[in-house]
Amino acid sequence: MKNIVLFLCQLGLICLIYAASQWFVNLVHLPIPGSVFGMILLFLLLLSGVLKVSYIEKATSFLNKHLAFFFIPFAVGLMNYGQLIRTSGVQLLVMIVGSTVIGLIVTSGLTQVLTGKAGAKRGQSDNR
């Protein structure tokens, strides 16, 4: 029973952060979705130490474990766009694959640059 209450409290905290981010985005008229702002807010809360990972760990592990279920509405919604996919499916596929490849290349390049700089700084401090 204690685990269920803890899980529900953690899930409520995540929902509260989401609701607060939606409210703030609507209040300030930010040009980003409230859910994206909520993820940024959650990241900043975790980074600053205001929110500890243990406060949301059970709920987030449950949500991650069942993540595939969240894609079912999206997949069913695609059925409404069958004609668009038939006529422009190849272009959409090229754009999706292309943007994924570009994102991977940029991410890997940036990671190599940053780890190279970190390694160079460590090498300089080791020589002293």
Side-chain angles (χ1 to χ4, degrees), residues 16 49 51 54 56 73 79 82 100 111 125:
L16 182 68
L51 185 67
S54 62
I56 58 171
M79 291 179 186
T100 301
T111 302
S125 64

Side-chain angles (χ1 to χ4, degrees), residues 61-78:
S61 66
F62 174 81
L63 292 172
N64 279 335
K65 198 181 307 178
H66 297 90
L67 189 63
F69 290 118
F70 297 116
F71 288 102
I72 291 172
F74 172 73
V76 171
L78 282 177

Side-chain angles (χ1 to χ4, degrees), residues 3-4 7-9 13 36 43-44 59 62-63 68 74-76 88 98 111-112 124:
N3 283 336
I4 294 172
F7 169 77
L8 291 175
C9 288
L13 181 60
V36 173
F43 174 72
L44 292 174
F62 174 81
L63 292 172
F74 172 73
V76 171
S88 304
T111 302
Q112 288 179 354
Q124 288 175 354

Side-chain angles (χ1 to χ4, degrees), residues 82-94:
Q83 183 61 34
L84 176 66
I85 292 171
R86 275 192 287 279
T87 58
S88 304
V90 174
Q91 292 97 341
L92 290 170
L93 185 64
V94 168

